[in-house]
Amino acid sequence: MDFSTIRNLVTRCCTGEESWVDSRTVYIGHKEPPPGTEAYIPQRFPDNRIVSSKYTFWNFIPKNLFEQFRRIANFYFLIIFLVQLIIDTPTSPTTSGLPLFFVITVTAIKQGYEDWIRHKADNAINQCPVHVIQHGEVIRKQSQKLRVGDIVQVKEDETFPCDLILLSTCREDGTCFVTTASLDGESSHKTYYAVQDTKAFNTAEEVDTLHAIIECEQPQPDLYKFVGRINIYLDRDEPIARPLGSENLLLRGATLKNTECIYAVAIYTGMETKMALNYQSKSQKRSAVEKSMNAYLIVYLCILISKALINTVLKYAWQADLNRDEPWYNQKTETERQRHVLIRAFTDFLAFMVLFNYIIPVSMYVTVEMQKFLGSYFILWDDDMFDEELGERPLVNTSDLNEELGQVEYVFTDKTGTLTENNMELRECCVDGHVYVPHAICNGQVLPGAAGMDMIDSSPGVDGKEREELFFRALCLCHTVQVKEEETVDGIKKGIHQGKSTSFYISSSPDEVALVEGMKRLGFTYMRLKDSHMEILNREDEMERFELLEVLNFDSVRRRMSVIVRSNTGEYYLFCKGADSSIFPRVVSGKVEQVRARVEHNAVEGLRTLCVAYKKLTHIEYEEVCRLLTSAKLALQERDKKLSEAYDVIEKDFILLGATAVEDRLQDKAADTIESLHKAGIKVWVLTGDKMETAAATCYASKLFHRNTQILELTTKRTEEQNLHDVLFDLSRTVLRQHGNMTRDTFSGLSGDCQDYGLIIDGATLSAVLKPTQEGTSSGGNYKEIFLEICRNCSAVLCCRMAPLQKAQIVKMIKTSKEHPITLAIGDGANDVSMILEAHVGIGIMGKEGRQAARNSDYAITKFKHLKKMLLVHGHYYYIRIAELVQYFFYKNVCFIFPQFLYQFFCGFSQQPLYDTAYLTLYNISFTSLPILLYSLMEQHINMDILKRDPSLYRDIAKNSLLRWPIFVYWTFLGVFDAMVFFFGAFFLFDNTTFTSNGQLMATNTQMMFGNWTFGTLVFTVLVFTVTLKLALDTHYWTWINHFVIWGSLLFYVIFSLLWGGIIWPFLNYQRMYYVFMQMLSSGPAWLSIILLIIVSLLPDVVKKVLCRALWPTTTERIQRMRADKIFERVETHSQDSLLDGVQNTSEA
């Protein structure tokens, strides 16, 4: 090793060079670099094993238990179970241990099965064969044994086993075609490029001789970003450095198409591949119902502690009288008396906690999980939401947020591809004020009835004709469209026109396809990209060839793209197309005003507009451009920033050529969906990157804005005329003038007020509004709060010229405001992912911009119109079902435990249980679990057709209305009342007792043997029947399954009690329930008492519902009553008709 090598090492290791810290070095083929060039420092990288599973055979039990006991209810019951094992408690440890074991076991089995499925999928992937180049030969090995630096051979239709850098292909130009459908859903063929200096290595032997080192960034999840460089050693001279970007990176999961084979080097393997990194971090969203459950749980925990504390205090107060102390025959009396009073009190407190612990419904969490998991299938099975065109059904990526669909107050929607079809049709192009209208073209297909070319104002003159042709050439060259001679789709060959084979265009951007097809109809046909030359067939059927030198790709910040080409005559051209806001400021000549006027006219019509410009470059200018681009592309750190700066320098001093107008039609029933959402009290915001006029026209067409809506503008144009502070206060005074100081019903606009105002804001103004107010500014206060005040008084908001990050900022701003409304974001593109992840509920559209949005969303649908049913029907049902489930669980557990609390006042606070151990154990597991689970899956309080026809019904459940504290308190007091009826009703039945001849104590009222277990069984019987019939009364939608489960649960309780007390079980040490249940049922008065107590318990709730429905009915209750009246009238009419027929038949006889 010479001194230069040592110096390089010291420089890199000691000076803290960023590129060394944040990059990795990969030796292709694991070959050491030539001596004297680089120090060989092998690095350790993970193997290519994919692990999507959560557990292993060894860690499943401890890891799963740890995760389950992180849940408060499970941990609480574990503590109770341990207390029962440690101290002498009134109930058996089985009463807590068995339900806990059941819950833990069911959850573990479910999670274990899901993980086993993941293990099988992982093994199938990890063990699939791959072809690797070693010593000039192609060998096969398992995918999991692939290492970073291995050279891999991939053949057509094979999937890439890891992230690869393309070295060479079987094609002469060093390109290959790839589909990334499994990554982002885009089925189009994307072009990737081999490194120019390695594309000649076309055989295994040649590739094996390659000496090169790759320096690149460390793994990161962005699918569309990669920064690196390759140093190639030829003849052991100084290495040749070439930049590497995303166009050279083949991602794991993508598939090779239309290319016989390629050679590539593994750069990221296993869990460091971009695909693996993308499926890892996704923030956990929690619904409002889950938050309410946790709050209720804390309240009931406080009630539990209070009960235990009261009983402990009263026990010692009662035992203060020596006559009431522990009896002499209790063997523990002396031991107890010798212990410190605080220890005894604490032990008694724990014993009471154990006795009353069933007030905490541990099984509720399992039931809720099952309800969400099973309930999500109703969306998957909904035939109304099936898209026949795509053959796709909705996707449920998480079932934890089902009920949140019924609580949405804000919908944030993208425009292109979400409200519109993303199905582009070139309507016209304007060149120097002359307008050209081609055939009606839609994504490469000539629409039916389209006649010849319509030319308007078609006399541009000689100079104008040259500019016209230059404009058409610009659109034929400035794009990333791929050409296929013919395409087979479902057995039909596309691209065949009148028996002749023609080109078929494919691109990830429908706009580009529409533009290139439009140029084809106007006489300029883009043929192909071959050997770095773009070929165009002009109007004279002459082939023109332009050498493609550089492509300055489109990005959402610049909002433009450019190409640099060289013509046959050696002239250099830079063609650029982009949004008018990004082109006009960079134009120095051309008919700007005429084109601007046409662009504004088309924007008002709702068309998508693009401007086209160009400039000529000298050879010296081109070399300077190359130097700038090469320097930026070779940077490992901040490459994007440096490229952006280079683009900014290059893309200026343009000559304006003209503009295009493309129509993106509104999706079917999009307007009806938005109108229904408004009626449901949901505010709809459109967040788009389009210009204001285009987006506003779409908003009018989709009925977001109406003709009588007063539009308020908060745009850059207005803030240039008037400072932001004054504009905000003018708008604030405008919206508050009509409402006074009264804003609409909270932040969600659920007041049902008419749609008065619509707000339009652009991205630049939004940035100024969200910027923190500096000290010393005018006393305008916080701009953000004023902006929110304006928004809450507007029925709809349009945000245009939005960057993806700004979309997420808007969602976050609304989500974190003081009212904390529930937000939903819906979009179809990668630029919508940030807002989809930010919102409470994210919905992706499976559209033409790929599947990134669908993959990162909570739910995915195929069309915007399906959002109506998803919210107004499925969301409505999900919420009312789970709200009843939560309230009912707490109610039935209060009914269960409060009699136990009252019983302590009659047994000297001795911690004597009221119920048998079997009843304590099975109450929540068997006797009362299935009816509420089925209710939470099947209940339909209103027919779904009515929910779709009348969106205002959505307002009845808004703001978590069924889980508010007053309703929770009502259910709790109802449970307390019913418990008191059970207990004191049974108590008075045993009020008068006499001794029988054999010394047994018998109740004279009922002729039942009086005893603790008889009393408890009577209370428990009334309890089970009451809580089950309460659910039956709340059920509106009856099916045979409901009848089977509800009446079957009651029958199961009776049969179980008969068997439990009617047989002497040999495995029990003592059988205190023997013959108790049968003896109780043998008493006629007992039957009557049970029926009366059930009626008395249910009566207050029935009376309350009747009065509320008669005096203060909700919209839902009014519709239920109308429907019941119609059914009654139909039945009555049918009965009268039957009666008349009978009378007529009798008279005839």
Side-chain angles (χ1 to χ4, degrees):
M1 182 184 295
D2 60 10
F3 289 106
S4 63
T5 304
I6 297 175
R7 186 167 57 253
N8 288 338
L9 277 175
V10 171
T11 301
R12 284 180 167 174
C13 296
C14 300
T15 61
E17 186 184 18
E18 288 185 4
S19 61
W20 181 256
V21 175
D22 295 334
S23 66
R24 62 167 51 185
T25 302
V26 178
Y27 299 93
I28 297 179
H30 309 288
K31 293 185 178 69
E32 298 183 18
T37 54
E38 286 283 347
Y40 179 60
I41 307 176
Q43 301 181 35
R44 294 179 61 86
F45 302 111
D47 59 21
N48 199 41
R49 185 183 294 112
I50 282 289
V51 181
S52 64
S53 55
K54 198 173 183 179
Y55 308 105
T56 66
F57 178 80
W58 305 106
N59 72 5
F60 173 72
I61 293 178
K63 190 173 182 179
N64 186 265
L65 288 178
F66 172 75
E67 290 182 351
Q68 290 205 56
F69 285 119
R70 289 170 64 185
R71 179 171 283 172
I72 296 175
N74 289 348
F75 183 73
Y76 162 77
F77 265 82
L78 176 65
I79 296 299
I80 292 296
F81 177 64
L82 294 177
V83 168
Q84 287 179 296
L85 291 176
I86 295 170
I87 68 172
D88 183 24
T89 56
T91 58
S92 167
T94 308
T95 58
S96 293
L98 191 59
L100 180 63
F101 177 77
F102 174 77
V103 169
I104 296 296
T105 302
V106 168
T107 306
I109 290 173
K110 172 179 170 289
Q111 294 177 352
Y113 174 74
E114 292 173 349
D115 207 60
W116 177 68
I117 296 296
R118 287 191 287 265
H119 269 286
K120 288 183 65 178
D122 290 345
N123 290 335
I125 294 172
N126 293 331
Q127 295 173 9
C128 70
V130 295
H131 297 91
V132 179
I133 309 301
Q134 285 187 2
H135 308 298
E137 296 181 355
V138 179
I139 66 169
R140 291 180 58 171
K141 64 164 63 173
Q142 288 184 347
S143 175
Q144 62 186 357
K145 296 180 180 178
L146 204 61
R147 294 187 300 153
V148 170
D150 282 346
I151 301 175
V152 181
Q153 182 193 60
V154 182
K155 297 181 180 179
E156 186 175 0
D157 293 327
E158 288 184 352
T159 301
F160 302 127
C162 61
D163 291 351
L164 306 165
I165 292 294
L166 182 59
L167 297 176
S168 65
T169 77
C170 63
R171 302 168 67 95
E172 293 180 1
D173 57 0
T175 62
C176 71
F177 297 103
V178 172
T179 59
T180 56
S182 61
L183 295 173
D184 55 21
E186 295 183 15
S187 57
S188 59
H189 293 187
K190 299 179 181 177
T191 306
Y192 288 82
Y193 302 90
V195 180
Q196 285 297 314
D197 298 271
T198 64
K199 68 179 184 180
F201 295 80
N202 292 323
T203 65
E205 292 80 6
E206 291 173 349
V207 172
D208 194 50
T209 63
L210 178 64
H211 273 72
I213 295 174
I214 292 176
E215 291 180 283
C216 63
E217 63 185 359
Q218 293 292 354
Q220 51 96 1
D222 192 337
L223 295 175
Y224 309 100
K225 180 182 176 184
F226 175 75
V227 177
R229 65 170 172 249
I230 182 171
N231 298 317
I232 306 168
Y233 297 93
L234 299 175
D235 301 326
R236 300 195 176 185
D237 293 330
E238 284 296 316
I240 300 173
R242 295 287 183 239
L244 297 174
S246 57
E247 69 275 7
N248 309 113
L249 182 66
L250 306 173
L251 299 178
R252 177 176 193 143
T255 305
L256 184 65
K257 292 288 184 182
N258 292 352
T259 309
E260 188 175 336
C261 77
I262 65 162
Y263 294 98
V265 60
I267 199 78
Y268 302 129
T269 53
M271 300 308 293
E272 290 187 342
T273 58
K274 289 182 179 288
M275 184 182 74
L277 294 174
N278 264 275
Y279 287 112
Q280 287 177 357
S281 57
K282 203 172 178 185
S283 59
Q284 184 71 27
K285 297 180 180 180
R286 294 173 58 215
S287 69
V289 171
E290 187 177 348
K291 295 173 184 175
S292 296
M293 284 169 53
N294 291 337
Y296 296 165
L297 192 67
I298 292 172
V299 170
Y300 271 62
L301 191 59
C302 294
I303 293 174
L304 171 64
I305 294 172
S306 302
K307 281 183 177 182
L309 196 60
I310 290 171
N311 274 263
T312 304
V313 171
L314 291 177
K315 174 178 181 177
Y316 282 87
W318 190 80
Q319 289 184 350
D321 187 346
L322 295 177
N323 295 325
R324 295 174 178 170
D325 200 357
E326 295 282 350
W328 59 269
Y329 50 81
N330 188 340
Q331 297 180 359
K332 293 185 179 180
T333 300
E334 291 302 321
T335 307
E336 290 288 334
R337 285 173 175 167
Q338 290 174 5
R339 295 170 65 186
H340 194 278
V341 64
L342 291 179
I343 296 177
R344 279 189 289 154
F346 181 70
T347 304
D348 286 329
F349 173 77
L350 291 179
F352 281 119
M353 287 281 288
V354 169
L355 190 63
F356 302 142
N357 79 85
Y358 292 97
I359 198 173
I360 306 296
V362 64
S363 59
M364 179 179 68
Y365 286 93
V366 175
T367 309
V368 166
E369 278 193 11
M370 293 176 67
Q371 189 269 346
K372 289 183 175 183
F373 175 72
L374 297 174
S376 63
Y377 282 95
F378 290 115
I379 290 180
L380 299 176
W381 294 335
D382 193 333
D383 290 334
D384 291 342
M385 300 174 71
F386 174 73
D387 190 280
E388 294 183 357
E389 180 184 350
L390 296 176
E392 296 275 3
R393 288 189 176 275
L395 296 177
V396 179
N397 296 325
T398 175
S399 59
D400 293 337
L401 302 172
N402 291 345
E403 65 277 7
E404 206 81 332
L405 294 171
Q407 294 296 294
V408 173
E409 301 167 59
Y410 275 79
V411 169
F412 299 92
T413 175
D414 178 41
K415 183 182 79 70
T416 305
T418 304
L419 291 179
T420 61
E421 290 183 349
N422 205 10
N423 208 10
M424 307 304 176
E425 174 187 340
L426 181 63
R427 287 284 297 273
E428 69 172 52
C429 49
C430 170
V431 185
D432 285 347
H434 301 281
V435 179
Y436 301 82
V437 181
H439 286 279
I441 303 161
C442 180
N443 282 6
Q445 304 301 310
V446 181
L447 297 182
M453 182 172 66
D454 180 14
M455 300 278 293
I456 301 176
D457 192 10
S458 56
S459 54
V462 178
D463 293 338
K465 186 173 173 57
E466 292 179 0
R467 297 275 293 241
E468 168 197 309
E469 292 186 351
L470 190 59
F471 174 85
F472 294 157
R473 287 188 183 96
L475 287 176
C476 284
L477 297 170
C478 188
H479 56 75
T480 58
V481 170
Q482 299 171 30
V483 183
K484 301 192 71 178
E485 291 306 318
E486 55 185 44
E487 175 82 357
T488 302
V489 178
D490 296 331
I492 302 172
K493 288 187 176 180
K494 293 174 122 180
I496 305 297
H497 180 61
Q498 296 179 348
K500 298 180 181 179
S501 177
T502 59
S503 58
F504 178 77
Y505 299 124
I506 54 176
S507 173
S508 57
S509 170
D511 293 79
E512 290 194 326
V513 172
L515 292 175
V516 175
E517 283 281 7
M519 294 306 99
K520 183 176 180 180
R521 304 302 176 192
L522 289 169
F524 281 77
T525 304
Y526 172 62
M527 301 302 294
R528 67 181 65 83
L529 174 65
K530 183 178 181 182
D531 298 329
S532 299
H533 284 76
M534 302 179 81
E535 298 178 354
I536 298 174
L537 192 67
N538 62 22
R539 286 174 176 167
E540 285 74 32
D541 286 338
E542 297 173 349
M543 188 68 71
E544 300 180 7
R545 285 170 58 88
F546 292 83
E547 184 181 358
L548 180 61
L549 301 174
E550 297 287 348
V551 178
L552 282 60
N553 289 315
F554 174 87
D555 64 65
S556 58
V557 178
R558 285 167 45 242
R559 298 183 61 78
R560 60 184 181 272
M561 75 159 291
S562 302
V563 295
I564 301 175
V565 297
R566 182 167 56 197
S567 67
N568 290 333
T569 59
E571 295 178 302
Y572 294 91
Y573 289 93
L574 189 154
F575 293 114
C576 180
K577 72 177 181 192
D580 59 312
S581 60
S582 66
I583 297 294
F584 284 143
R586 297 176 176 273
V587 168
V588 293
S589 66
K591 297 185 179 180
V592 177
E593 294 307 318
Q594 293 94 321
V595 175
R596 189 195 302 271
R598 196 65 195 175
V599 166
E600 291 178 354
H601 173 269
N602 288 329
V604 171
E605 294 294 320
L607 303 178
R608 295 163 61 86
T609 57
L610 284 177
C611 293
V612 182
Y614 84 105
K615 71 174 179 179
K616 284 188 177 181
L617 301 174
T618 64
H619 184 69
I620 295 175
E621 288 174 333
Y622 169 66
E623 288 183 341
E624 177 62 18
V625 166
C626 289
R627 187 191 64 77
L628 282 172
L629 291 176
T630 302
S631 174
K633 287 178 180 179
L634 285 174
L636 283 183
Q637 300 300 314
E638 298 183 333
R639 179 183 289 184
D640 288 343
K641 180 182 178 183
K642 292 176 181 177
L643 277 174
S644 178
E645 292 171 352
Y647 292 162
D648 194 55
V649 172
I650 296 167
E651 295 173 322
K652 62 182 181 181
D653 301 331
F654 286 132
I655 301 171
L656 184 65
L657 285 172
T660 63
V662 173
E663 183 182 22
D664 187 7
R665 291 193 294 270
L666 204 65
Q667 280 195 20
D668 180 39
K669 297 184 179 179
D672 173 65
T673 300
I674 287 181
E675 196 170 25
S676 296
L677 295 179
H678 275 306
K679 291 178 180 178
I682 299 172
K683 281 193 173 182
V684 181
W685 288 31
V686 174
L687 313 181
T688 178
D690 275 356
K691 62 186 287 114
M692 185 182 83
E693 294 82 3
T694 305
T698 302
C699 290
Y700 277 111
S702 63
K703 297 184 180 179
L704 184 74
F705 295 155
H706 294 273
R707 292 303 169 190
N708 60 350
T709 301
Q710 182 177 343
I711 302 299
L712 309 175
E713 291 187 13
L714 187 57
T715 59
T716 306
K717 181 179 179 181
R718 183 167 180 184
T719 54
E720 287 174 353
E721 301 169 355
Q722 191 179 7
N723 67 59
L724 180 61
H725 175 272
D726 293 339
V727 172
L728 282 170
F729 273 84
D730 284 349
L731 295 178
S732 180
R733 282 194 295 268
T734 300
V735 298
L736 292 178
R737 189 178 299 126
Q738 176 177 343
H739 302 288
N741 292 323
M742 299 293 293
T743 61
R744 295 188 177 207
D745 179 19
T746 67
F747 205 71
S748 59
L750 297 174
S751 64
D753 203 352
C754 62
Q755 299 175 359
D756 302 317
Y757 297 104
L759 178 68
I760 299 178
I761 183 171
D762 59 19
T765 311
L766 179 71
S767 298
V769 168
L770 297 182
K771 187 183 297 182
T773 307
Q774 298 178 354
E775 294 182 7
T777 56
S778 59
S779 59
N782 192 334
Y783 288 164
K784 180 178 173 183
E785 289 301 320
I786 302 171
F787 174 66
L788 290 175
E789 186 69 24
I790 296 169
C791 291
R792 65 165 60 96
N793 286 285
C794 291
S795 58
V797 178
L798 166 62
C799 303
C800 51
R801 298 297 194 194
M802 290 285 117
L805 184 60
Q806 286 182 310
K807 292 184 178 184
Q809 288 175 337
I810 288 178
V811 175
K812 185 176 182 180
M813 177 185 70
I814 299 298
K815 188 174 78 169
T816 58
S817 60
K818 60 183 179 181
E819 292 82 3
H820 299 291
I822 304 299
T823 59
L824 179 147
I826 179 170
D828 72 317
N831 60 332
D832 302 315
V833 169
S834 55
M835 74 169 180
I836 285 173
L837 293 176
E838 183 63 47
H840 291 95
V841 182
I843 296 184
I845 300 284
M846 293 179 276
K848 298 181 180 179
E849 293 188 23
R851 298 295 174 93
Q852 302 98 312
R855 183 163 49 84
N856 287 279
S857 63
D858 303 306
Y859 303 88
I861 55 179
T862 55
K863 293 288 188 295
F864 182 78
K865 65 180 180 180
H866 297 321
L867 184 65
K868 177 180 178 180
K869 187 171 186 182
M870 180 169 271
L871 297 185
L872 303 187
V873 178
H874 290 293
H876 198 119
Y877 283 156
Y878 283 138
Y879 178 73
I880 62 108
R881 290 165 180 169
I882 202 167
E884 177 88 8
L885 184 151
V886 172
Q887 299 281 28
Y888 178 79
F889 253 98
F890 284 106
Y891 157 78
K892 72 186 182 73
N893 279 32
V894 170
C895 292
F896 182 42
I897 286 303
F898 198 72
Q900 180 73 71
F901 172 73
L902 295 174
Y903 186 60
Q904 297 306 303
F905 289 85
F906 296 88
C907 66
F909 307 100
S910 61
Q911 299 151 14
Q912 169 66 38
L914 177 62
Y915 310 118
D916 180 63
T917 301
Y919 290 159
L920 285 170
T921 306
L922 298 178
Y923 176 73
N924 280 317
I925 293 178
S926 300
F927 299 148
T928 60
S929 58
L930 279 181
I932 184 58
L933 175 61
L934 191 72
Y935 175 95
S936 65
L937 292 173
M938 305 285 290
E939 173 64 1
Q940 295 181 21
H941 62 310
I942 292 181
N943 186 275
M944 65 174 62
D945 293 330
I946 297 176
L947 289 177
K948 283 192 288 187
R949 285 200 308 269
D950 189 357
S952 63
L953 292 171
Y954 195 83
R955 298 170 184 261
D956 283 354
I957 61 170
K959 287 289 187 182
N960 205 13
S961 61
L962 300 184
L963 287 174
R964 289 177 179 168
W965 286 106
I967 298 178
F968 168 72
V969 171
Y970 168 77
W971 278 84
T972 301
F973 275 103
L974 182 64
V976 171
F977 171 81
D978 289 350
M980 294 179 71
V981 171
F982 306 157
F983 182 84
F984 288 109
F987 177 79
F988 287 123
L989 289 177
F990 290 95
D991 192 26
N992 298 317
T993 58
T994 58
F995 283 97
T996 62
S997 57
N998 58 1
Q1000 290 181 324
L1001 195 63
M1002 178 171 286
T1004 56
N1005 297 341
T1006 60
Q1007 298 301 308
M1008 287 192 299
M1009 288 186 295
F1010 182 81
N1012 173 58
W1013 303 118
T1014 305
F1015 178 69
T1017 301
L1018 180 60
V1019 172
F1020 191 81
T1021 302
V1022 177
L1023 161 69
V1024 171
F1025 274 79
T1026 299
V1027 297
T1028 304
L1029 293 176
K1030 165 76 170 90
L1031 189 64
L1033 289 174
D1034 287 348
T1035 301
H1036 297 90
Y1037 185 72
W1038 284 92
T1039 64
W1040 68 267
I1041 304 177
N1042 296 78
H1043 286 287
F1044 176 78
V1045 170
I1046 288 179
W1047 313 125
S1049 294
L1050 296 176
L1051 184 62
F1052 172 74
Y1053 164 70
V1054 173
I1055 293 174
F1056 173 83
S1057 298
L1058 290 172
L1059 294 175
W1060 183 244
I1063 301 174
I1064 299 178
W1065 299 100
F1067 56 83
L1068 295 177
N1069 295 328
Y1070 54 90
Q1071 197 159 343
R1072 53 198 178 194
M1073 291 297 294
Y1074 181 67
Y1075 207 65
V1076 169
F1077 191 73
M1078 287 178 287
Q1079 193 273 339
M1080 182 188 75
L1081 294 184
S1082 64
S1083 169
W1087 283 82
L1088 181 61
S1089 302
I1090 291 172
I1091 294 171
L1092 287 175
L1093 291 177
I1094 292 173
I1095 293 173
V1096 172
S1097 300
L1098 296 175
L1099 189 61
D1101 188 51
V1102 173
V1103 171
K1104 177 256 181 187
K1105 286 183 178 179
V1106 170
L1107 290 176
C1108 287
R1109 284 172 180 263
L1111 302 177
W1112 309 284
T1114 62
T1115 307
T1116 301
E1117 290 168 346
R1118 280 196 294 268
I1119 289 178
Q1120 287 173 342
R1121 184 173 180 177
M1122 290 168 56
R1123 188 182 177 204
D1125 290 343
K1126 288 180 180 178
I1127 294 173
F1128 178 75
E1129 289 174 5
R1130 198 179 304 126
V1131 172
E1132 190 175 28
T1133 303
H1134 179 73
S1135 300
Q1136 291 175 354
D1137 291 342
S1138 300
L1139 184 61
L1140 289 173
D1141 290 341
V1143 171
Q1144 187 176 1
N1145 292 335
T1146 304
S1147 60
E1148 290 176 357

